[in-house]
Amino acid sequence: MERNSNLMSCDMSGIKPAMLELRYPPIQVERRNPDYAAILSFDYCGPVSELSAITQYINNENRLCQTACPLARTLLGIAMAEMMHLQKLGELIQLLGGEVSFSVRQSNGKQMPWTPDYLTLSRDARRMLCADVEAERGAIAQYEAHIRKIKDECVDAVLRRIIRDEEYHIMLLQGLMAEL
């Protein structure tokens, strides 16, 4: 098989999660609460969720890795941070008595499965970054709304720490946009 020599090679080795170097609070809950677990399932795999963020960032990284390696490497680092958030949310959901799956339980009891229709995909780097910034802002707003609903300081502390990473991601993305 012949390799296309016109394509750049983008070395992804050594990439670390793009997150603040602040410790996360312990992953624990004050008590089991399946209603809180259901709320967190939206952060886990709802329309605005860590699963959606990971998928969108990986898709964007794949589309850019041959033409804009530094940008692609940053997006992969952000995706890795979102994976850490997904893992922490999954632990909290389990501790609260919920079940980790790829669907959320709506208030009417209906299960809503995750779908790639939640993503905003583009081939244009600027549009990708704009969509990523908007997704991060949406995630922050959703986490803040969930903190107001969840009355468990252990869970809320983790959500507040995740928000700090999401704010950092916006800063990184805006910096990348300024370089385009």
Side-chain angles (χ1 to χ4, degrees), residues 66-138:
Q66 298 301 319
T67 59
C69 186
L71 176 55
R73 287 175 55 88
T74 300
L75 294 181
L76 182 58
I78 295 172
M80 293 167 70
E82 305 296 5
M83 288 178 208
M84 301 289 291
H85 300 163
L86 185 76
Q87 187 276 331
K88 291 175 185 324
L89 290 169
E91 279 191 64
L92 288 172
I93 290 167
Q94 293 284 339
L95 290 170
L96 288 164
E99 185 175 324
V100 175
S101 67
F102 294 104
S103 64
V104 296
R105 190 184 79 225
Q106 295 177 307
S107 57
N108 64 5
K110 183 179 178 188
Q111 290 291 114
M112 184 175 71
W114 183 87
T115 173
D117 293 336
Y118 296 154
L119 309 179
T120 302
L121 303 177
S122 176
R123 293 207 171 276
D124 176 75
R126 181 167 295 283
R127 285 189 182 119
M128 283 179 193
L129 295 175
C130 285
D132 292 341
V133 167
E134 287 309 307
E136 294 286 358
R137 287 181 178 147

Side-chain angles (χ1 to χ4, degrees), residues 6-65:
N6 294 331
L7 297 178
M8 288 178 24
S9 174
C10 189
D11 182 11
M12 296 295 182
S13 63
I15 297 192
K16 294 183 177 20
M19 52 199 309
L20 296 172
E21 293 197 26
L22 299 172
R23 294 183 73 91
Y24 270 83
I27 305 301
Q28 59 191 23
V29 299
E30 291 174 1
R31 64 190 155 288
R32 292 172 62 88
N33 187 322
D35 291 333
Y36 291 170
I39 291 170
L40 291 183
S41 72
F42 282 88
D43 300 315
Y44 189 84
C45 67
V48 176
S49 67
E50 299 298 338
L51 183 60
S52 293
I54 293 163
T55 308
Q56 185 162 306
Y57 281 119
I58 292 296
N59 183 279
N60 291 346
E61 177 271 325
N62 289 164
R63 290 175 186 226
L64 293 169
C65 70

Side-chain angles (χ1 to χ4, degrees), residues 113-179:
W114 183 87
T115 173
D117 293 336
Y118 296 154
L119 309 179
T120 302
L121 303 177
S122 176
R123 293 207 171 276
D124 176 75
R126 181 167 295 283
R127 285 189 182 119
M128 283 179 193
L129 295 175
C130 285
D132 292 341
V133 167
E134 287 309 307
E136 294 286 358
R137 287 181 178 147
I140 291 168
Q142 181 170 284
Y143 280 125
E144 288 171 342
H146 290 173
I147 289 168
R148 288 189 296 274
K149 290 180 183 177
I150 295 173
K151 303 300 180 205
D152 182 317
E153 187 48 44
C154 298
V155 174
D156 291 345
V158 174
L159 299 184
R160 284 192 296 274
R161 174 59 186 85
I162 290 173
I163 288 171
R164 300 280 308 270
D165 283 338
E166 307 300 17
E167 292 168 338
Y168 178 60
H169 296 162
I170 290 172
M171 184 196 73
L172 290 174
L173 294 165
Q174 289 174 332
L176 292 171
M177 287 172 63
E179 293 175 13

